[in-house]
Amino acid sequence: AHWHNLSKLSLETGDDVDVVAEGLACNIHTMSSGSQGYGYDAWRGNWITMRVQGVNRGVYLNIEQRNKLFLENRNWVEDPNNTWMYKITGENETLLKVPDKDSGEVPPDYPDSPARIALNYTPFMPSGSGSTPDDAGLVADMDDYVNMQGMLSMAAINSFISNHDSLFSHYQNTYFMDYNMHDPCETRKRMYLPWDVDSVMKGAEADGDIYDREGGSTTWQEIFLDSPTYRPQYNQVMSDLMGTSLTQSNINSFLDMMLPILQDALAADPYNQFATPGTAGVLERFSEIKTWYSNRIVNILEQIWWDEPAGTILLKDDFEGTPWNDNWTGAWLQNTEDYKSSYTSAHTEDGSEGDFTCGNLDASDANVIHVAFWIMKDDTENDDIDLYYYNGATDSYDYIIDLDTLGADDVWLRYTDTITDSNYFEPDFKIRFNATVGNNENVWVDDVIITKLISEPNEPVISGYILNPKNAGIGGVLMLADNGGGSVLTDGNGFYEFPVPYGWSGTITPTEADYTFVPSERTYSKPVVVDQPQRWSPDYNGTSIYDLDSNGSIDFYDYATFASAWQSSLVDGNWNPACDFYTDLTIDFRDLDKFTTAWLIQ
């Protein structure tokens, strides 16, 4: 059978995550097909309800299979003898798919593409081929043969959706198109195309590293994302996409558009992976996905910022080369355990103790100092590894944090800090690690970067929404940020927006006498140095205390609940504390007055 001239469809069950998460990830690739991303149409996907002999087999995701028809439909094959499509089949391995050497349509000795022949080194070819050139040579080759905007876009998008099964993260799920670059009329360079998103939204906290995969970086990440040329370009592509197509509002709008279309089919799907059955589970999953991407956006912005912090670099040390510790004093060692494979870090020797202190850093004209580094611990205990800052007094250091509290052992952890205390703005500012480790206890530190801002930094803006159960905005809610963060009232759409001091951290609490809020507050534990737009979806849900059935309306159903508790007190069987609006343990005309006033307002 044929469908729209297609003889086959590629259907995904969403078994690794679910069809909503995978379908959104697929369409996020579509959203990124404009000038800020690929620059060409890289993806299409749709949801399909499958019935076999009248039996509902559930909702599937249709992802187009790359083949000759795919290429012809997009006018990518003007001359089939000068067009190649390869499939990535493993680390540094590819398989020619178009033309097909085994189909009999072309001679079996059909030559590889010019780009395939020229790029005869890792990560494009198996290890043991030609040597990977230095950064200048790599850039020259890429300029000749590869659409780097497209490739870096694909890497950035797959990282954005936390796809652990993509080219940069797992050497898989990618095709690329090559053209005859020897033809003077051919201007198209290699295009990388994703083709599956079966492993997305990994990490409950949406905190995955955008530069490395968990357990060690791949050769693609090491060669391109550690490149002094391509890492900044990758950051810029990611920032551009998140400022244009991949905004929270665009993602939410897409999900809001698809929810009424998919809701009934997903609720009836006997094989969906939602924790709660039926419509409630569908609504819950859509909300979870919105929240995950809200958190992901903020996390990525922070990673990019800390990777390329604003200001003047005072110290940037990855502990490479010989001598490796020119910028430090102390008896630490150079060690091959690092947060990027095949490089080195600073390491405390088993059973040793002592300080590891950086050299003098001129922060005398600073308004802000930023400190960031990676650290890994093994079998350490409280106060085995502490961080100190020099405060300007003679050999006087302030204790900052017990680094053992950062997280689990045997995992590289990122520490960042924003210093606004002028006591540290000294011509000889320093940081110090103090280690007291016993036998079989180890600490590694890597990629330390310390910067300063000389001019007064811009105040970052925190913004978001407070909505009722019907997703209508709640106006007039006081949003109060502690630690000097200020306050603001929500507008008629439930929107709030206010600047906080650069490097602020603390808690924001919504307050309105006649409402309860979930959550009751939100805490920003990391220093806020970039704007925080609508971090959650919504940021808070508010319910009027007079909305006794929590449906978003104050109506006769609520009145019936109130009437059933009329003139009761604490000892009566029909007592309902939710109806005691006057909080005097008696439900009477004073409570009725409050209720009817709210009812009339609604």
Side-chain angles (χ1 to χ4, degrees):
H2 285 70
W3 180 78
H4 290 269
N5 294 322
L6 299 176
S7 59
K8 62 181 179 181
L9 292 175
S10 174
L11 300 181
E12 297 288 338
T13 64
D15 60 315
D16 288 292
V17 189
D18 60 76
V19 292
V20 178
E22 291 188 21
L24 173 61
C26 167
N27 282 281
I28 281 176
H29 279 278
T30 303
M31 295 175 190
S32 304
S33 294
S35 60
Q36 301 290 342
Y38 299 111
Y40 48 86
D41 187 3
W43 196 267
R44 280 293 183 269
N46 299 278
W47 286 272
I48 295 172
T49 298
M50 180 180 291
R51 296 183 180 276
V52 179
Q53 295 182 338
V55 178
N56 185 0
R57 297 297 182 181
V59 179
Y60 288 73
L61 187 67
N62 162 231
I63 300 175
E64 286 181 324
Q65 179 69 37
R66 269 70 171 153
N67 54 21
K68 288 186 178 180
L69 184 58
F70 172 90
L71 303 178
E72 292 167 356
N73 287 343
R74 286 157 183 77
N75 297 318
W76 284 357
V77 184
E78 296 172 358
D79 180 358
N81 292 321
N82 285 291
T83 304
W84 294 257
M85 182 173 74
Y86 294 90
K87 178 181 179 181
I88 304 290
T89 58
E91 183 173 2
N92 320 122
E93 297 176 359
T94 57
L95 176 66
L96 183 64
K97 299 293 289 185
V98 175
D100 187 347
K101 290 184 178 180
D102 299 322
S103 67
E105 297 178 8
V106 294
D109 58 348
Y110 191 87
D112 276 328
S113 70
R116 172 77 171 156
I117 295 170
L119 304 178
N120 186 31
Y121 50 78
T122 304
F124 305 107
M125 295 288 282
S127 56
S129 301
S131 299
T132 304
D134 60 14
D135 194 65
L138 182 70
V139 170
D141 281 350
M142 298 305 101
D143 285 347
D144 286 341
Y145 292 105
V146 179
N147 181 330
M148 289 302 296
Q149 173 82 7
M151 188 178 80
L152 293 176
S153 294
M154 187 184 73
I157 297 159
N158 278 320
S159 182
F160 179 84
I161 63 179
S162 194
N163 183 0
H164 287 206
D165 211 3
S166 61
L167 174 61
F168 272 59
S169 65
H170 201 214
Y171 313 105
Q172 289 189 8
N173 292 349
T174 305
Y175 287 88
F176 62 83
M177 293 292 305
D178 272 351
Y179 301 95
N180 188 2
M181 302 306 295
H182 295 158
D183 183 345
C185 297
E186 179 60 76
T187 60
R188 290 174 295 181
K189 299 179 182 180
R190 175 176 293 182
M191 299 179 180
Y192 280 88
L193 304 169
W195 67 281
D196 197 4
V197 284
D198 61 349
S199 183
V200 297
M201 287 180 61
K202 296 298 184 179
E205 301 302 323
D207 58 356
D209 194 314
I210 64 172
Y211 306 106
D212 294 286
R213 68 174 179 181
E214 185 176 346
S217 56
T218 66
T219 54
W220 284 85
Q221 290 168 335
E222 290 171 5
I223 290 171
F224 287 105
L225 301 190
D226 286 347
S227 159
T229 298
Y230 292 121
R231 187 177 181 114
Q233 289 188 21
Y234 172 78
N235 285 345
Q236 189 63 54
V237 167
M238 183 76 84
S239 298
D240 288 346
L241 289 170
M242 293 173 66
T244 53
S245 57
L246 301 186
T247 63
Q248 185 66 53
S249 60
N250 282 355
I251 292 172
N252 287 356
S253 295
F254 179 83
L255 289 171
D256 290 342
M257 176 182 68
M258 297 308 304
L259 177 58
I261 299 172
L262 296 174
Q263 179 174 304
D264 292 344
L266 290 170
D269 183 348
Y271 306 107
N272 72 45
Q273 297 104 311
F274 306 143
T276 305
T279 300
V282 176
L283 296 175
E284 180 181 24
R285 185 55 179 156
F286 271 72
S287 178
E288 289 172 349
I289 292 173
K290 287 183 178 181
T291 298
W292 190 92
Y293 276 101
S294 296
N295 292 335
R296 184 63 174 154
I297 287 170
V298 173
N299 176 267
I300 291 175
L301 288 174
E302 290 175 343
Q303 288 189 60
I304 293 173
W305 188 92
W306 281 108
D307 190 62
E308 296 181 344
T312 302
I313 295 177
L314 297 175
L315 173 67
K316 189 172 185 179
D317 206 328
D318 51 9
F319 306 108
E320 309 299 328
T322 303
W324 65 276
N325 60 347
D326 271 357
N327 300 320
W328 300 81
T329 58
W332 285 35
L333 306 174
Q334 191 178 34
N335 189 278
T336 55
E337 289 289 341
D338 79 321
Y339 99 100
K340 289 183 181 295
S341 60
S342 79
Y343 295 85
T344 57
S345 62
H347 172 228
T348 58
E349 189 174 17
D350 293 3
S352 67
E353 60 181 77
D355 298 330
F356 190 55
T357 308
C358 76
N360 292 342
L361 307 174
D362 184 5
S364 58
D365 54 352
N367 273 284
V368 176
I369 302 173
H370 298 292
V371 177
F373 55 83
W374 290 87
I375 184 169
M376 184 167 69
K377 310 168 279 97
D378 176 43
D379 292 332
T380 57
E381 300 172 354
N382 289 343
D383 294 323
D384 279 351
I385 177 67
D386 297 323
L387 177 66
Y388 293 82
Y389 296 158
Y390 179 58
N391 62 18
T394 303
D395 200 31
S396 178
Y397 288 79
D398 290 338
Y399 169 82
I400 302 301
I401 187 175
D402 174 7
L403 293 169
D404 193 67
T405 63
L406 287 184
D409 282 0
D410 301 315
V411 177
W412 280 101
L413 305 167
R414 184 71 162 166
Y415 174 85
T416 58
D417 190 20
T418 300
I419 304 172
T420 56
D421 187 342
S422 61
N423 287 330
Y424 300 110
F425 302 157
E426 297 290 336
D428 50 357
F429 173 74
K430 295 179 283 289
I431 70 170
R432 169 175 288 177
F433 299 95
N434 177 262
T436 307
V437 295
N439 292 330
N440 299 318
E441 294 181 340
N442 295 274
V443 176
W444 298 265
V445 171
D446 203 3
D447 284 11
V448 179
I449 182 168
I450 302 174
T451 63
K452 66 178 177 180
L453 289 178
I454 298 174
S455 59
E456 191 71 25
N458 294 329
E459 292 185 324
V461 174
I462 296 178
S463 59
Y465 287 88
I466 298 183
L467 305 180
N468 72 12
K470 287 189 173 181
N471 289 323
I474 303 173
V477 178
L478 176 65
M479 305 299 294
L480 180 62
D482 63 6
N483 293 338
S487 63
V488 70
L489 294 175
T490 58
D491 65 15
N493 296 316
F495 179 73
Y496 66 91
E497 178 180 70
F498 58 96
V500 295
Y502 188 88
W504 175 86
S505 60
T507 299
I508 296 178
T509 305
T511 303
E512 211 288 328
D514 291 340
Y515 280 84
T516 59
F517 299 98
V518 177
S520 60
E521 62 185 27
R522 288 201 184 274
T523 298
Y524 294 74
S525 56
K526 290 185 177 180
V528 176
V529 293
V530 294
D531 290 349
Q532 308 278 309
Q534 194 182 349
R535 187 167 183 173
W536 295 272
S537 301
D539 299 82
Y540 305 86
N541 289 106
T543 303
S544 171
I545 61 174
Y546 309 107
D547 182 9
L548 297 173
D549 59 1
S550 301
N551 71 347
S553 300
I554 301 171
D555 50 28
F556 281 106
Y557 293 102
D558 304 296
Y559 180 76
T561 300
F562 179 81
S564 66
W566 177 245
Q567 291 191 332
S568 65
S569 59
L570 187 61
V571 297
D572 296 321
N574 62 331
W575 164 252
N576 185 343
C579 300
D580 185 16
F581 308 122
Y582 202 73
T583 63
D584 61 353
L585 302 182
T586 300
I587 298 173
D588 53 22
F589 282 102
R590 286 177 291 190
D591 304 296
L592 180 61
D593 178 62
K594 282 180 171 285
F595 178 79
T596 54
T597 300
W599 188 16
L600 292 174
I601 292 174
Q602 294 291 319

